[in-house]
Amino acid sequence: MTERSAKLNILKFVKIVSFSLLLVILGFFVAATVRTLTFDVNAGLQLAHWEKTNNIASDINQHQREELLANFRDAIRIPTVSTTETQLNTTALREFDSLLRKAFPTVFSSHLVQHEVVANYSHLFWVPGSDLALVPYMLLAHIDVVPAEERDGWEAPPFSAKEINGFIYGRGTIDNKQSVMGILQALEYLLIRGYSPRRGFFIGLGHDEEVSGFQGAMNIVRVLKKKGVQLAFVLDEGLAVLDGVISGLQGPAALIGISEKGLATVKLSVSKAPGHSSMPPSESSIGILAGAVKRLEENPMPRLFGEGPERGTFEHLAHKFRLPLKFVMSNMWLFSPLLGRVMERRPDTNAFVRTTTAITMFNSGVKVNILPSQAEAYVNLRIHSAQSLQEVLELIQSTVGDERVKMELVDGFDPLPVSSYDETSFGFQIIKKTVLDQFPQVTVAPGICIGNTDSRHYTDLAKDIYRFAPTWFRPGDAQRFHGINERISKKNYEELVVFYFNLIQNCDIKDLPSPHSAGHEL
Ligand SMILES: CCCCCCCC/C=C\CCCCCCCC(=O)N[C@@H](CC(N)=O)C(=O)O
Ligand SMILES: [Zn+2]
Ligand SMILES: [Zn+2]
């Protein structure tokens, strides 16, 4: 090392240390004068006295263990693939209908359950409760899956449900047949054991979620609206239990999605006169469009980390970090710009920092010696909670900055409303209790779902919509989602059945315990 570079390094080090010290001192000063720090946001109602409604034990014997797994593997083997809104595997969807009836005979024959097929392939179940004064809730999941090709690098054929080292491999194992089968398997066992709910509930299984749910979810909502149904809460797919995924967090975290990002799918196109490739213009339609797309990639949407409900996620998790991260997370109002800069470095964490911009399709040209008249690209943006669709469209327009590039909004909506997650929030607290009873080592926190779910069609029926299943994600597992080697452990699938079994019974409580009752318990 030269003397000059050694000096520069020392200078850099001194700068970083003084900057961090300054931030910490400033943080302590402002925290002490303006805000109060709390590290026990997660205790709350869990210590209170809960009315006992989970009277039926969730033990699973060896026969049931084999039976529930066989049902699940049968479900994975049916290729219920959705490719586009008009390309659904309807043969597989019909086969799936038969599988459900065979696997869950009690659900389909019980006088306690009403069932109807909606839009040909989706399913709606209604289990009325004995107490009509209690507002019903709804569990959602979807039957369809995204395409999968073994040649992309799968260790097992994607519709084989092959078992490797205790994991079942296959498309749909974590998105979302684990919930479809888990919910109905739980209901089957509850009914067999003589359960009859006090609080009524619906189960909605969509057949086209992967292509937006315009047939399944939207028609189920129509049916429910006609009946005048209002729901206490909705629980759909979405977030999961993250174990070792959030750097620095001690222990696993169950993130319950309290909102989901908005969407903008934008088509960009450039038209030019076609002609012979021997006489090219200085700029082709492809070149102009490529420039526009490059500008979008080089100019990401603004950092908004901490300006949406993701702030609550880190505040809830703060006490599970060691210092100095604990201090940083507890004071997001001060440190979120800094944290945003760190999080934007990884694609999965960047998703929480801003509206993301993904160029997903690029088409042009028909022959090597013809100048293409048309070039088009699709940009898929996931909108941060602190931005609106309109703001995002305006930013795209200004970043593209070229009138030759036409812009068309193909599909889009604002970020979804934020559901409640305080101590009086029935759905959130019931889900949280069910998670903590089953997985006491987990920290429960509100989260943002970075993808979209069928539940977004339910906003007129329920104020509170949650996106969560206790599927365990370890490092690398998030990439299996819509990727290769999608899998779930046999143990985790069984845990899902138990989770829904307990959740349904926990929902039978009339009211949440009072937030203050914890203090009076001795
Ligand atoms: C706090 C930092 C943690 C970083 C870890 C991230 C873990 C992410 C885990 C799972 C991904 C979330 C996916 C949510 C479900 C999305 C469902 C989906 O794929 N929907 C489609 C189709 C549709 N309904 O629009 C979509 O395109 O969004
Ligand atoms: Zn899904
Ligand atoms: Zn999906």
Side-chain angles (χ1 to χ4, degrees):
M1 197 190 292
T2 64
E3 200 182 322
R4 187 179 140 71
S5 72
K7 266 187 192 160
L8 278 177
N9 275 345
I10 293 170
L11 206 68
K12 221 171 167 186
F13 178 74
V14 170
K15 261 189 188 169
I16 291 171
V17 170
S18 4
F19 183 63
S20 313
L21 261 176
L22 193 72
L23 280 180
V24 172
I25 293 167
L26 184 72
F28 267 116
F29 176 74
V30 186
T33 51
V34 187
R35 310 260 172 147
T36 320
L37 287 181
T38 170
F39 290 137
D40 64 353
V41 278
N42 251 11
L45 280 194
Q46 298 317 121
L47 303 172
H49 175 74
W50 285 68
E51 182 192 359
K52 181 168 166 48
T53 54
N54 54 343
N55 296 314
I56 304 178
S58 58
D59 333 325
I60 291 189
N61 64 34
Q62 192 50 33
H63 165 73
Q64 289 164 332
R65 181 159 290 128
E66 285 161 20
E67 176 186 62
L68 65 85
L69 192 66
N71 286 338
F72 180 60
R73 294 177 76 180
D74 283 346
I76 298 302
R77 290 190 185 108
I78 303 176
T80 48
V81 174
S82 293
T83 309
T84 66
E85 273 172 59
T86 51
Q87 275 180 287
L88 310 179
N89 185 344
T90 52
T91 311
L93 288 169
R94 262 191 295 272
E95 199 186 327
F96 203 87
D97 179 304
S98 308
L99 168 70
L100 293 183
R101 292 168 200 269
K102 185 180 114 251
F104 309 118
T106 319
V107 171
F108 281 88
S109 62
S110 168
H111 69 278
L112 288 176
V113 183
Q114 294 167 29
H115 167 252
E116 70 178 285
V117 171
V118 177
N120 298 320
Y121 312 105
S122 287
H123 296 265
L124 173 61
F125 301 85
W126 163 230
V127 191
S130 56
D131 187 340
L132 299 179
L134 300 185
V135 185
Y137 63 100
M138 184 154 189
L139 305 177
L140 301 182
H142 66 89
I143 293 167
D144 62 326
V145 296
V146 291
E149 295 288 349
E150 189 178 354
R151 61 169 181 261
D152 290 341
W154 284 74
E155 285 170 42
F159 298 101
S160 65
K162 189 172 166 187
E163 181 185 335
I164 306 174
N165 297 330
F167 287 87
I168 304 298
Y169 278 65
R171 182 57 90 224
T173 48
I174 55 172
D175 181 19
N176 177 240
K177 286 177 178 171
Q178 86 281 27
S179 291
V180 170
M181 299 304 280
I183 292 168
L184 289 185
Q185 189 69 71
L187 180 56
E188 177 78 9
Y189 288 154
L190 279 167
L191 293 169
I192 288 173
R193 294 175 195 187
Y195 172 73
S196 139
R198 186 202 268 173
R199 184 184 296 272
F201 63 97
F202 294 89
I203 298 170
L205 308 178
H207 72 271
D208 62 345
E209 188 276 345
E210 294 294 1
V211 287
S212 288
F214 293 143
Q215 291 303 314
M218 277 183 86
N219 278 302
I220 291 177
V221 168
R222 253 176 228 136
V223 169
L224 295 177
K225 274 188 177 173
K226 264 195 202 148
K227 294 183 202 281
V229 168
Q230 277 296 311
L231 299 165
F233 73 95
V234 167
L235 175 62
D236 196 2
E237 66 165 336
L239 294 176
V241 180
L242 306 180
D243 187 15
V245 175
I246 304 176
S247 306
L249 183 78
Q250 294 174 279
L255 297 191
I256 299 172
I258 48 158
S259 178
E260 57 189 61
K261 291 181 89 175
L263 172 85
T265 298
V266 175
K267 181 179 164 185
L268 299 178
S269 57
V270 178
S271 296
K272 276 252 175 183
H276 198 286
S277 61
S278 60
M279 298 167 285
S282 61
E283 281 184 292
S284 63
S285 53
I286 293 180
I288 296 168
L289 186 63
V293 159
K294 189 88 187 103
R295 283 193 290 284
L296 285 176
E297 280 193 343
E298 282 176 349
N299 296 284
M301 293 284 164
R303 268 180 227 105
L304 292 170
F305 188 68
E307 292 183 35
E310 70 279 358
R311 184 166 157 168
T313 305
F314 289 89
E315 285 168 351
H316 269 70
L317 295 177
H319 67 296
K320 287 287 182 170
F321 286 90
R322 288 206 177 91
L323 285 169
L325 278 181
K326 186 181 192 153
F327 181 71
V328 170
M329 306 292 180
S330 309
N331 292 282
M332 288 282 286
W333 53 275
L334 181 65
F335 291 117
S336 56
L338 194 72
L339 211 51
R341 282 174 184 272
V342 176
M343 290 192 60
E344 70 181 358
R345 293 185 197 156
R346 249 174 53 186
D348 56 352
T349 44
N350 181 46
F352 295 86
V353 174
R354 55 164 46 84
T355 296
T356 52
T357 308
I359 320 297
T360 49
M361 288 165 82
F362 197 105
N363 300 315
S364 187
V366 286
K367 196 171 182 306
V368 289
N369 59 357
I370 298 178
L371 297 169
S373 66
Q374 187 78 9
E376 57 185 43
Y378 284 84
V379 190
N380 187 261
L381 302 107
R382 304 302 175 123
I383 305 172
H384 187 277
S385 301
Q387 246 175 354
S388 68
L389 173 61
Q390 191 52 39
E391 283 165 353
V392 166
L393 294 178
E394 284 162 17
L395 277 168
I396 299 173
Q397 187 112 52
S398 67
T399 305
V400 167
D402 185 338
E403 283 184 357
R404 294 170 299 175
V405 182
K406 297 268 164 306
M407 205 176 113
E408 182 194 327
L409 179 66
V410 179
D411 190 11
F413 45 86
D414 284 327
L416 275 291
V418 178
S419 303
S420 67
Y421 55 95
D422 60 17
E423 295 206 325
T424 62
S425 166
F426 184 81
F428 189 87
Q429 293 300 337
I430 293 281
I431 299 165
K432 178 173 170 180
K433 177 186 168 50
T434 311
V435 170
L436 289 179
D437 284 352
Q438 192 175 359
F439 307 105
Q441 75 277 35
V442 155
T443 309
V444 177
I448 292 286
C449 191
I450 56 178
N452 296 118
T453 69
D454 267 352
S455 70
R456 74 185 169 88
H457 300 296
Y458 286 73
T459 46
D460 287 345
L461 299 181
K463 191 175 60 63
D464 287 329
I465 296 179
Y466 303 103
R467 298 109 178 133
F468 172 78
T471 313
W472 280 64
F473 279 17
R474 302 207 156 84
D477 284 345
Q479 286 70 37
R480 299 176 195 274
F481 212 88
H482 288 200
I484 59 169
N485 293 318
E486 186 178 343
R487 67 178 194 185
I488 193 169
S489 72
K490 291 195 293 181
K491 175 171 169 274
N492 193 188
Y493 177 62
E494 197 177 303
E495 286 167 345
L496 274 145
V497 175
V498 170
F499 170 78
Y500 290 116
F501 189 98
N502 291 332
L503 180 82
I504 292 171
Q505 293 190 76
N506 286 340
C507 284
D508 281 333
I509 64 159
K510 281 194 172 158
D511 296 301
L512 290 175
S514 140
H516 307 296
S517 61
H520 305 302
E521 293 285 303
L522 258 188

